[in-house]
Amino acid sequence: MDLARGEVTGRRRRWPGNAARLGLMALPVAFFAVFFAYPVAAIVRRGLRVDGAWQFGRFADVLGDQGIRHVLWFTTWQALASTALTLLVALPGAYVLARFDFPGRQVLRAVVTVPFVLPTVVVGTAFLALLGHGGLLDQLWGVRLDTTVWAILLAHVFFNYAVVVRTVGGLWAQLDPRQEEAARMLGASPLTAWRKVTLPALAPAVAAAALMVFLFTFTSFGIVQILGGPAFSTLEVEIYRQTSEIFDLSTAAVLTLVQFAAVGAILAVHAWTVRRRESALKLVDAALTARRPRGAGQWALLAGVLATIALLLLLPLAVLVQRSLTAPGFGYYRALTDPDGGVFLVAPITAIGTSLSYAAAATAIALVIGSLAAAALTRRDAGRLVRGFDALLMLPLGVSAVTVGFGFLIALDKPPLDLRQSWILVPLAQALVGVPFVVRTMLPVLRAVDVRLREAAAVLGASPWRVWREVDLPMVRRALLVAAGFAFAVSLGEFGATVFIARPDNPTLPVAVARLLSRPGDLNYGQAMALSTILMLVCAVALLLLERLRTADRSGEF
């Protein structure tokens, strides 16, 4: 009887239970409250509260300014244009990598993902080397595009190509091709079969990818800062200008709240599309759907996609490397070992060690916070509280990193959180960006674990911590390594917040590149190219290791 009662209890018991879920959420909520909500609220309060009174009239003043309206308009339309252009260019690549089997396919998947984990400073620098003064286009045809909107749009496509390929291509590879074949057997043309069978199944994934691309381009900072010049400014760039150059905190606070509201709306729509993606679809093993290209048309499509990847993704990086090697005897690289009192208090080369140590610390923080958050979100039948918690985890990807960084300086300068002189400030800011990637990497794997294993362990008396350690961890250890790699790469390249809080004697690689680019002279420009190349190689190596882990996952070792 006791055994039967235990079995019934085990069936009814869900993991994690409400109490356990709240316990798992406690540390992530506290982390985001202290190091995200508090700094953002502090800078908004500093900007909108004067002599004890709230200055809500500043909204009308700021939004009525013609220059600010131009910034809002440019931010919106360039994000829409970047999103449309990215979908147009990347959807054929998503199809090829999902449906075609050809030599080097896995390597190509890693290559197209490299731009996404590259720091925006490196992307901007690469396109500056391609499109700017003395760049490849300037040398060949005397054409410069570095201060035009086309440079920004192309750089955004370069940066977000992998978002479409991974999001749409991942689902495309698992759609059963027999559904489309059945429609063609019934007399539908290839285009009609694709439009009425495949496209409706892909629509939620396409919408989710489009929203993520729009979010990243709407909040673009490093790319616009380097390529846009004085003529173009997004909300993020304008917040930085108002904060660091004009010192108008009230305008910066208004713009921060405007961006916060826009990002909240985008994330709400994105969450809705993700839930639609999780609806029932007839999916098969992705390895069973890929096949060799057939006919001249498919081979031409493969060739076109390879040419696009070579010109759009590889050429800017190759030009970046070439420009870093133009000085004889690796002169730009050797110059990195010389201290430059005009920009740094230390030799620029020290930024490599500083960035690696900061990124390692940020990765450790992101793994702890992200793992707890993912465990709390494991159950799909979560209520509004948990869904709100899920949305909170995504906010750092869209809320102004400039605001967060400056908020750190304002809010974390008094006991018991006087961290302005502490090295940990930079990893904390970087971890905020890394946590969403950890959660999104681990959550699907955690949800795939058979809940009966957890319930059996709980019935036998295991605590939630022991259930996680002995049931979940052995199954998700590889996903944990993948999450660590993503967190490390994005932490290494974080720029918006770090530019405010990195100390002059401890600059990170993105900050060092931006400072070198801000100074005239071929030597500074060449050193920026050299540092960007080093940063690119570190990110590429990390991503190739991730791809090997993903490939190994298919062996069933989990």
Side-chain angles (χ1 to χ4, degrees):
M1 178 67 70
D2 291 339
L3 179 59
R5 185 181 299 113
E7 290 177 351
V8 172
T9 303
R11 292 192 190 98
R12 292 178 179 175
R13 188 170 182 175
R14 306 295 299 275
W15 193 95
N18 290 332
R21 185 192 290 130
L22 291 176
L24 292 169
M25 290 170 54
L27 185 58
V29 169
F31 177 79
F32 275 81
V34 174
F35 298 113
F36 177 69
Y38 178 47
V40 172
I43 195 170
V44 170
R45 183 178 183 277
R46 179 72 65 91
L48 293 181
R49 190 175 175 86
V50 179
D51 296 330
W54 290 97
Q55 305 296 317
F56 292 114
R58 285 294 296 160
F59 280 89
D61 296 337
V62 172
L63 297 180
D65 182 87
Q66 185 174 355
I68 297 298
R69 289 203 303 270
H70 175 74
V71 169
L72 292 171
W73 168 242
F74 175 75
T75 301
T76 303
W77 85 256
Q78 67 81 24
L80 290 171
S82 297
T83 302
L85 190 59
T86 302
L87 290 175
L88 180 66
V89 173
L91 281 176
Y95 174 76
V96 165
L97 289 173
R99 293 299 199 188
F100 290 174
D101 185 17
F102 53 90
R105 180 183 174 215
Q106 295 302 326
V107 175
L108 193 63
R109 281 173 57 87
V111 168
V112 301
T113 312
V114 167
F116 181 70
V117 299
L118 285 180
T120 55
V121 170
V122 172
V123 176
T125 306
F127 275 82
L128 193 64
L130 178 64
L131 307 176
H133 175 67
L136 184 62
L137 289 186
D138 193 12
Q139 293 177 12
L140 294 177
W141 298 294
V143 176
R144 288 184 57 185
L145 299 175
D146 54 319
T147 55
T148 69
V149 72
W150 280 108
I152 296 173
L153 297 181
L154 290 174
H156 282 162
V157 175
F158 170 92
F159 188 75
N160 292 290
Y161 188 94
V163 176
V164 177
V165 169
R166 290 285 185 170
T167 305
V168 180
L171 178 60
W172 212 332
Q174 293 181 281
L175 290 181
D176 192 342
R178 291 173 297 183
Q179 299 178 19
E180 188 172 325
E181 292 170 0
R184 295 183 61 182
M185 290 180 63
L186 293 174
S189 66
L191 179 60
T192 301
W194 182 84
R195 182 170 53 86
K196 293 191 175 182
V197 177
T198 303
L199 183 58
L202 288 176
V206 173
L211 283 166
M212 288 307 296
V213 173
F214 183 84
L215 175 64
F216 291 138
T217 53
F218 186 83
T219 58
S220 183
F221 176 58
I223 290 174
V224 180
Q225 180 81 347
I226 292 175
L227 296 176
F232 303 107
S233 178
T234 57
L235 263 175
E236 188 83 353
V237 174
E238 187 64 22
I239 291 171
Y240 175 78
R241 191 175 74 90
Q242 295 288 341
T243 303
S244 63
E245 298 178 10
I246 303 178
F247 303 107
D248 187 349
L249 292 186
S250 63
T251 299
V254 170
L255 296 180
T256 295
L257 291 177
V258 170
Q259 182 169 310
F260 186 84
V263 167
I266 295 169
L267 290 177
V269 177
H270 180 266
W272 177 72
T273 60
V274 168
R275 285 197 294 273
R276 286 187 61 197
R277 283 179 60 197
E278 293 178 348
S279 61
L281 288 173
K282 189 175 183 181
L283 303 179
V284 296
D285 187 350
L288 302 177
T289 63
R291 54 179 172 76
R292 299 279 292 182
R294 300 173 184 171
Q298 292 190 355
W299 281 107
L301 177 60
L302 174 59
V305 168
L306 293 177
T308 299
I309 292 173
L311 292 175
L312 181 65
L313 304 187
L314 298 182
L315 182 60
L317 300 181
V319 172
L320 173 65
V321 175
Q322 184 270 331
R323 292 298 296 270
S324 73
L325 297 173
T326 52
F330 298 95
Y332 292 141
Y333 289 90
R334 288 189 290 106
L336 296 176
T337 62
D338 297 329
D340 182 355
V343 180
F344 308 106
L345 300 180
V346 293
I349 195 71
T350 61
I352 299 174
T354 300
S355 286
L356 292 175
S357 59
Y358 282 166
T363 300
I365 297 170
L367 283 178
V368 172
I369 301 300
S371 298
L372 291 173
L377 294 169
T378 298
R379 278 175 50 182
R380 293 179 183 271
D381 58 340
R384 292 183 178 178
L385 177 63
V386 177
R387 288 200 297 270
F389 173 63
D390 191 12
L392 170 68
L393 299 174
M394 291 290 290
L395 281 178
L397 292 181
V399 173
S400 170
V402 170
T403 300
V404 174
F406 195 63
F408 268 36
L409 296 181
I410 291 177
L412 305 180
D413 63 341
K414 297 178 182 178
L417 288 174
D418 187 1
L419 301 177
R420 288 185 64 169
Q421 301 301 318
S422 174
W423 66 273
I424 196 66
L425 202 61
V426 174
L428 287 171
Q430 294 173 342
L432 284 171
V433 183
V435 167
F437 288 92
V438 173
V439 173
R440 294 302 157 210
T441 302
M442 295 191 62
L443 190 55
V445 180
L446 283 172
R447 284 178 171 172
V449 176
D450 191 341
V451 70
R452 291 173 295 183
L453 296 175
R454 299 186 181 115
E455 292 173 347
V459 168
L460 293 174
S463 65
W465 163 247
R466 190 173 180 184
V467 171
W468 160 257
R469 180 166 51 88
E470 297 189 7
V471 176
D472 290 81
L473 185 58
M475 297 185 179
V476 302
R477 64 182 182 276
R478 199 175 298 279
L480 195 64
L481 291 174
V482 173
F486 271 119
F488 181 82
V490 298
S491 299
L492 196 65
E494 204 288 322
F495 176 61
T498 308
V499 70
F500 275 98
I501 57 182
R503 295 167 55 178
D505 57 341
N506 283 302
T508 63
L509 278 170
V511 172
V513 170
R515 289 179 182 173
L516 286 168
L517 285 175
S518 67
R519 299 188 72 198
D522 290 339
L523 181 60
N524 291 316
Y525 182 81
Q527 289 183 88
M529 296 293 165
L531 277 181
S532 296
T533 300
I534 293 171
L535 187 51
M536 176 191 69
L537 291 176
V538 173
C539 291
V541 169
L543 194 67
L544 288 173
L545 292 176
L546 291 184
E547 192 61 33
R548 287 180 62 87
L549 287 172
R550 287 181 180 273
T551 304
D553 284 348
R554 302 188 183 97
S555 66
E557 189 177 337
F558 254 8

Short mmCIF file of all heavy atoms in Angstrom, two decimals, residues 37-65:
data_model
loop_
_atom_site.label_atom_id
_atom_site.label_comp_id
_atom_site.label_asym_id
_atom_site.label_seq_id
_atom_site.Cartn_x
_atom_site.Cartn_y
_atom_site.Cartn_z
N ALA A 37 18.12 46.04 -13.05
CA ALA A 37 17.02 46.96 -12.77
C ALA A 37 17.49 48.17 -11.97
O ALA A 37 17.11 49.32 -12.27
CB ALA A 37 15.90 46.22 -12.03
N TYR A 38 18.29 47.93 -10.94
CA TYR A 38 18.74 49.03 -10.07
C TYR A 38 19.58 50.06 -10.83
O TYR A 38 19.32 51.27 -10.74
CB TYR A 38 19.50 48.46 -8.88
CG TYR A 38 20.05 49.48 -7.93
CD1 TYR A 38 19.28 50.56 -7.47
CD2 TYR A 38 21.36 49.38 -7.46
CE1 TYR A 38 19.80 51.49 -6.60
CE2 TYR A 38 21.88 50.31 -6.58
CZ TYR A 38 21.11 51.37 -6.15
OH TYR A 38 21.62 52.30 -5.28
N PRO A 39 20.62 49.67 -11.61
CA PRO A 39 21.38 50.68 -12.36
C PRO A 39 20.55 51.44 -13.38
O PRO A 39 20.70 52.66 -13.53
CB PRO A 39 22.48 49.85 -13.05
CG PRO A 39 22.62 48.64 -12.20
CD PRO A 39 21.24 48.34 -11.71
N VAL A 40 19.65 50.72 -14.10
CA VAL A 40 18.82 51.41 -15.08
C VAL A 40 17.88 52.39 -14.40
O VAL A 40 17.71 53.54 -14.84
CB VAL A 40 18.01 50.38 -15.92
CG1 VAL A 40 17.00 51.09 -16.81
CG2 VAL A 40 18.96 49.53 -16.77
N ALA A 41 17.26 51.96 -13.28
CA ALA A 41 16.38 52.86 -12.54
C ALA A 41 17.14 54.05 -11.99
O ALA A 41 16.62 55.18 -11.95
CB ALA A 41 15.70 52.09 -11.40
N ALA A 42 18.39 53.83 -11.58
CA ALA A 42 19.18 54.92 -11.01
C ALA A 42 19.46 56.01 -12.03
O ALA A 42 19.34 57.21 -11.73
CB ALA A 42 20.50 54.37 -10.44
N ILE A 43 19.81 55.61 -13.25
CA ILE A 43 20.12 56.64 -14.24
C ILE A 43 18.85 57.34 -14.72
O ILE A 43 18.85 58.54 -15.00
CB ILE A 43 20.90 56.02 -15.43
CG1 ILE A 43 21.53 57.14 -16.25
CG2 ILE A 43 20.03 55.14 -16.30
CD1 ILE A 43 22.51 56.66 -17.30
N VAL A 44 17.73 56.61 -14.78
CA VAL A 44 16.46 57.24 -15.15
C VAL A 44 16.05 58.23 -14.07
O VAL A 44 15.61 59.36 -14.35
CB VAL A 44 15.37 56.18 -15.37
CG1 VAL A 44 14.01 56.83 -15.52
CG2 VAL A 44 15.69 55.35 -16.61
N ARG A 45 16.20 57.82 -12.82
CA ARG A 45 15.84 58.71 -11.71
C ARG A 45 16.74 59.94 -11.70
O ARG A 45 16.27 61.07 -11.49
CB ARG A 45 15.96 57.96 -10.38
CG ARG A 45 15.55 58.78 -9.16
CD ARG A 45 15.67 57.93 -7.89
NE ARG A 45 15.21 58.64 -6.72
CZ ARG A 45 15.94 59.50 -6.02
NH1 ARG A 45 17.18 59.76 -6.41
NH2 ARG A 45 15.44 60.11 -4.97
N ARG A 46 18.03 59.76 -11.94
CA ARG A 46 18.95 60.89 -11.96
C ARG A 46 18.59 61.88 -13.07
O ARG A 46 18.73 63.09 -12.91
CB ARG A 46 20.38 60.37 -12.16
CG ARG A 46 21.45 61.45 -12.23
CD ARG A 46 21.70 62.08 -10.89
NE ARG A 46 22.24 61.13 -9.95
CZ ARG A 46 23.55 60.90 -9.76
NH1 ARG A 46 24.45 61.56 -10.48
NH2 ARG A 46 23.96 60.05 -8.85
N GLY A 47 18.11 61.35 -14.20
CA GLY A 47 17.81 62.22 -15.33
C GLY A 47 16.46 62.91 -15.24
O GLY A 47 16.31 64.04 -15.71
N LEU A 48 15.46 62.26 -14.61
CA LEU A 48 14.10 62.80 -14.63
C LEU A 48 13.65 63.40 -13.30
O LEU A 48 12.57 63.96 -13.23
CB LEU A 48 13.11 61.70 -15.04
CG LEU A 48 13.23 61.19 -16.47
CD1 LEU A 48 12.16 60.13 -16.74
CD2 LEU A 48 13.08 62.33 -17.47
N ARG A 49 14.46 63.27 -12.27
CA ARG A 49 14.07 63.82 -10.96
C ARG A 49 15.02 64.96 -10.59
O ARG A 49 16.21 64.72 -10.35
CB ARG A 49 14.08 62.73 -9.90
CG ARG A 49 13.46 63.15 -8.57
CD ARG A 49 13.42 61.94 -7.62
NE ARG A 49 12.95 62.29 -6.29
CZ ARG A 49 11.68 62.34 -5.93
NH1 ARG A 49 10.75 62.07 -6.82
NH2 ARG A 49 11.33 62.66 -4.70
N VAL A 50 14.51 66.16 -10.54
CA VAL A 50 15.32 67.34 -10.26
C VAL A 50 14.74 68.05 -9.04
O VAL A 50 13.53 68.36 -9.00
CB VAL A 50 15.35 68.30 -11.46
CG1 VAL A 50 16.18 69.53 -11.13
CG2 VAL A 50 15.88 67.59 -12.70
N ASP A 51 15.56 68.28 -8.02
CA ASP A 51 15.14 68.96 -6.79
C ASP A 51 13.92 68.28 -6.17
O ASP A 51 12.98 68.95 -5.69
CB ASP A 51 14.83 70.43 -7.06
CG ASP A 51 16.07 71.20 -7.50
OD1 ASP A 51 17.17 70.82 -7.08
OD2 ASP A 51 15.92 72.15 -8.29
N GLY A 52 13.91 66.96 -6.20
CA GLY A 52 12.84 66.19 -5.56
C GLY A 52 11.56 66.09 -6.37
O GLY A 52 10.59 65.48 -5.91
N ALA A 53 11.50 66.65 -7.57
CA ALA A 53 10.29 66.62 -8.39
C ALA A 53 10.58 65.92 -9.72
O ALA A 53 11.64 66.12 -10.33
CB ALA A 53 9.78 68.04 -8.65
N TRP A 54 9.62 65.09 -10.14
CA TRP A 54 9.76 64.38 -11.41
C TRP A 54 9.48 65.33 -12.57
O TRP A 54 8.49 66.05 -12.55
CB TRP A 54 8.80 63.19 -11.47
CG TRP A 54 9.20 62.08 -10.54
CD1 TRP A 54 8.71 61.84 -9.30
CD2 TRP A 54 10.18 61.07 -10.78
NE1 TRP A 54 9.31 60.74 -8.74
CE2 TRP A 54 10.22 60.24 -9.64
CE3 TRP A 54 11.02 60.77 -11.85
CZ2 TRP A 54 11.08 59.16 -9.53
CZ3 TRP A 54 11.87 59.69 -11.75
CH2 TRP A 54 11.89 58.89 -10.61
N GLN A 55 10.34 65.31 -13.55
CA GLN A 55 10.22 66.20 -14.70
C GLN A 55 9.66 65.43 -15.90
O GLN A 55 10.33 65.20 -16.91
CB GLN A 55 11.60 66.78 -15.04
CG GLN A 55 12.28 67.48 -13.90
CD GLN A 55 11.51 68.71 -13.46
OE1 GLN A 55 11.03 69.48 -14.29
NE2 GLN A 55 11.41 68.91 -12.15
N PHE A 56 8.38 65.02 -15.78
CA PHE A 56 7.79 64.24 -16.87
C PHE A 56 7.55 65.09 -18.12
O PHE A 56 7.35 64.55 -19.21
CB PHE A 56 6.46 63.62 -16.41
CG PHE A 56 6.64 62.56 -15.36
CD1 PHE A 56 6.16 62.76 -14.07
CD2 PHE A 56 7.30 61.38 -15.65
CE1 PHE A 56 6.33 61.80 -13.09
CE2 PHE A 56 7.47 60.41 -14.68
CZ PHE A 56 6.99 60.61 -13.40
N GLY A 57 7.59 66.40 -17.96
CA GLY A 57 7.47 67.26 -19.12
C GLY A 57 8.62 67.11 -20.10
O GLY A 57 8.53 67.52 -21.26
N ARG A 58 9.73 66.50 -19.63
CA ARG A 58 10.88 66.29 -20.51
C ARG A 58 10.54 65.37 -21.67
O ARG A 58 11.16 65.44 -22.73
CB ARG A 58 12.06 65.71 -19.72
CG ARG A 58 12.76 66.72 -18.83
CD ARG A 58 13.44 67.78 -19.68
NE ARG A 58 14.50 67.23 -20.53
CZ ARG A 58 14.98 67.82 -21.62
NH1 ARG A 58 14.46 68.97 -22.02
NH2 ARG A 58 15.95 67.27 -22.31
N PHE A 59 9.54 64.48 -21.49
CA PHE A 59 9.16 63.59 -22.58
C PHE A 59 8.69 64.39 -23.78
O PHE A 59 9.09 64.14 -24.92
CB PHE A 59 8.06 62.63 -22.11
CG PHE A 59 8.56 61.46 -21.33
CD1 PHE A 59 8.69 61.54 -19.96
CD2 PHE A 59 8.92 60.29 -21.97
CE1 PHE A 59 9.16 60.47 -19.23
CE2 PHE A 59 9.38 59.20 -21.25
CZ PHE A 59 9.51 59.29 -19.87
N ALA A 60 7.82 65.38 -23.53
CA ALA A 60 7.32 66.20 -24.63
C ALA A 60 8.43 67.02 -25.25
O ALA A 60 8.50 67.17 -26.48
CB ALA A 60 6.19 67.10 -24.13
N ASP A 61 9.31 67.55 -24.39
CA ASP A 61 10.41 68.36 -24.91
C ASP A 61 11.35 67.54 -25.79
O ASP A 61 11.75 67.96 -26.88
CB ASP A 61 11.19 68.99 -23.76
CG ASP A 61 10.35 69.96 -22.94
OD1 ASP A 61 9.36 70.47 -23.50
OD2 ASP A 61 10.68 70.18 -21.76
N VAL A 62 11.72 66.37 -25.28
CA VAL A 62 12.70 65.54 -26.01
C VAL A 62 12.08 64.99 -27.29
O VAL A 62 12.67 65.08 -28.38
CB VAL A 62 13.20 64.39 -25.11
CG1 VAL A 62 14.05 63.41 -25.92
CG2 VAL A 62 14.00 64.95 -23.94
N LEU A 63 10.88 64.41 -27.17
CA LEU A 63 10.26 63.79 -28.34
C LEU A 63 9.78 64.82 -29.34
O LEU A 63 9.52 64.49 -30.51
CB LEU A 63 9.10 62.90 -27.91
CG LEU A 63 9.49 61.71 -27.01
CD1 LEU A 63 8.27 60.90 -26.62
CD2 LEU A 63 10.52 60.82 -27.70
N GLY A 64 9.65 66.06 -28.92
CA GLY A 64 9.27 67.12 -29.85
C GLY A 64 10.44 67.72 -30.59
O GLY A 64 10.26 68.49 -31.54
N ASP A 65 11.66 67.38 -30.17
CA ASP A 65 12.85 67.90 -30.83
C ASP A 65 13.02 67.25 -32.20
O ASP A 65 12.95 66.03 -32.34
CB ASP A 65 14.09 67.63 -29.96
CG ASP A 65 15.35 68.21 -30.57
OD1 ASP A 65 15.64 69.39 -30.32
OD2 ASP A 65 16.03 67.47 -31.30
#
